[in-house]
Amino acid sequence: MGEIVHDEFLCHVTAYGICGGQRVGVPLGTYRAPTLPLALWWLRDRAAWIAERLDPRPGLPHLPEGALVPVAGDTPDVPALLRSWCADVDRQSGAAEELADGRLVRITAHDDTTEYELLAESVDALRMARAAPRVTSSGRTALPVAG
């Protein structure tokens, strides 16, 4: 049997926080990447986009004076973590291998109020998981039902 080629990827970026005592996710973007390099490019682009919005360079013309304030020294530095992930060639290669093998890639960074999650997964792996028979609690095999 031939090796499965994972050549299309579904990518998501979500911010999670607490609202009214409940964990709430806010979608920040979705992209259906036609190739592995484009999936990785999009994840890096979204990570950099989040980092720039959380920690823009001071002195930019669209920022009013006093808009940026320092945070406590022990606050996790989400922008630095995301920028580090974007620049790390070894971690990019690892993510590419995981995706090429059909495994989910999940990158997270969080501060005191929000968790940022970047996900990518093979569309082929998702299809195969839906089509695979599953074993029920009684030990019987259940075939997937077409939806």
Side-chain angles (χ1 to χ4, degrees), residues 94-142:
E97 288 175 21
E98 295 287 317
L99 285 170
D101 288 342
R103 291 191 296 274
L104 174 76
V105 168
R106 180 175 183 252
I107 299 103
T108 63
H110 65 87
D111 57 24
D112 294 341
T113 62
T114 308
E115 177 185 28
Y116 300 91
E117 177 184 70
L118 296 95
L119 291 176
E121 55 194 331
S122 163
V123 171
D124 295 320
L126 289 169
R127 287 180 185 139
M128 291 184 320
R130 280 195 301 256
R134 59 183 174 78
V135 177
T136 65
S137 60
S138 65
R140 297 181 182 191
T141 301

Side-chain angles (χ1 to χ4, degrees), residues 41-113:
W41 169 84
W42 190 83
L43 290 174
R44 281 190 307 272
D45 181 70
R46 293 295 85 194
W49 179 83
I50 292 168
E52 185 61 27
R53 271 131 195 91
L54 293 175
D55 185 20
R57 295 177 308 270
L60 292 176
H62 68 277
L63 293 174
E65 189 65 33
L68 301 178
V69 296
V71 296
D74 61 349
T75 300
D77 191 346
V78 169
L81 292 169
L82 293 174
R83 288 178 177 124
S84 171
W85 182 82
C86 289
D88 190 323
V89 175
D90 291 335
R91 289 168 65 196
Q92 296 297 312
S93 295
E97 288 175 21
E98 295 287 317
L99 285 170
D101 288 342
R103 291 191 296 274
L104 174 76
V105 168
R106 180 175 183 252
I107 299 103
T108 63
H110 65 87
D111 57 24
D112 294 341
T113 62

